[in-house]
Amino acid sequence: MREGARPALLRRARPTGPRHHASRGNPLNTTARNARSSAAAVGGALLIAAAAAVLAPAATAAPADSGPPSLAASSAAPKEIGFAGLPVDFTTTVTNTGVYDTSSARLLYRIDAGIGVESNAVSLEYRLSGTAWKKVPLSFADGVFSGEVPETFPVAAGKSRIVQMRLGLPMGTPHNGDSNGGTRQLKMTTLVSYGASGVATGDDVDIVKVDGLDVTLSGVPRTAIAGGPGVTFKATVANPSASAYANLTDVLFANRHTTVEVLRSGRWTELPHLTAGNEPDVYGYDIIGKDASLAPHSRTTVTVRLTYRKDAPTGTTTVHPCAIINEGSSPFLGTTECGAFASITVKAHGTGGSTPTPTATPTSTPSSATTGAATSGSTAGTSTGATTSGTSGTSGTPTQLAHTGSGGTSTTAAVAAALVIAGGGTIGFVGLRRRRGHS
């Protein structure tokens, strides 16, 4: 390269205008000026964009919980549940109809059961995730239960969340049932709110029917012979509700001069008798087995053979079926529903045989004055008399009378307070009444 010559790259970078001392022979200065010019252009663009954002705030998304959400709740409540049965599943849907998200939706429930129940009557459970059911704590006042799902949950704007729920009317706890009264329906109100101070809105009201067990006898003969062959008939417990039942006992009450057998696997099995400690003249027979289960909309029927011993007084007596749910350690202590009784005339040994019972005119079952129970004159759909109601006294309501509690004395089925007539005297069943326990 000859002296004074420049490389071609630098020659191309040489300015065509008048030369300046600061840039002469120093291409790095030119590059720095170009970089500063580009940075200034970019910075100006950012400032313009920021100004545009300020002038048009609607163009940006609102942050979550930046305003009050608009929430609505709707429960697909069960149409019916079983009195003293297990809970029935349903769902509650929470919908956010507003433009703001919420991270803390709250579900609240108010359940009006009427004044015929106690504070342990209703159960409410929830499940937000997983398989475990959790209790909704309920307060109680004047027949109304109120509670809130303990956990909150997010619901985005325009979205919905389904919460698994289940509702029951256990009337106590397992092996400590209590039916000091009853109810024919529940009025459940669902409400939704948000955050710690949001006002509950979006209420939804459902009426849930309460069905009780149907306890019946069929084919009971009119007469039996003291010391003679046994008389046979059917005893049925039917569950018309959507609830399953657990801890169920079907008791047949008779006087102390009886022996009861049930037909199991083609063979007659004699049952032991049970008595309440202070009711020795009344025998109760557990004909289906203690703590049995019964599925929703199902029934169980047992064939019974009843024998009156030779020492049985002659005259008219009765047999009476009662279902006891959550029976405790004491006999007949639990939530009790009794069906219609059947009358049998006991004849002296050596007289004619038994006579089948045709459909008879029903007779109301008298209840003890201490039970506080109303008596219904409705028929039970069999030849065995009438059911009674522990609540409204209207027809068609299953008996819901017996009271149990912790530390209480034994209580036999309240509706079995029907008199057992033997000749010219009255024995047994008069004392079958509810007694309150002492805690």
Side-chain angles (χ1 to χ4, degrees), residues 80-89 166-170 211 213 239-248 292-298 325-326:
E80 60 179 4
I81 60 175
F83 179 82
L86 299 179
V88 178
D89 295 6
R166 63 182 186 182
L167 174 69
L169 193 74
D211 285 332
L213 295 172
N239 176 15
S241 78
S243 291
Y245 279 82
N247 303 324
L248 170 65
S293 298
L294 193 60
H297 306 294
S298 68
I325 306 105
N326 289 317

Side-chain angles (χ1 to χ4, degrees), residues 2-21:
R2 69 177 182 272
E3 184 179 355
R6 297 179 182 274
L9 175 63
L10 296 184
R11 285 201 301 271
R12 286 196 298 270
R14 182 185 303 150
T16 56
R19 293 181 180 179
H20 299 279
H21 180 74

Side-chain angles (χ1 to χ4, degrees), residues 288-387:
I288 64 172
K290 186 176 173 62
D291 296 337
S293 298
L294 193 60
H297 306 294
S298 68
R299 65 178 57 214
T300 182
T301 299
V302 178
T303 301
V304 177
R305 184 162 69 185
L306 173 68
T307 303
Y308 289 91
R309 298 191 300 269
K310 285 185 179 181
D311 61 344
T314 59
T316 301
T317 184
T318 64
V319 288
H320 204 140
C322 293
I324 303 177
I325 306 105
N326 289 317
E327 184 178 21
S329 57
S330 299
F332 322 134
L333 191 65
T335 302
T336 304
E337 295 190 81
C338 293
F341 68 86
S343 296
I344 300 175
T345 299
V346 180
K347 295 184 177 182
H349 183 68
T351 59
S354 63
T355 304
T357 303
T359 301
T361 302
T363 304
S364 296
T365 303
S367 61
S368 170
T370 62
T371 65
T375 302
S376 167
S378 66
T379 66
T382 70
S383 62
T384 57
T387 59

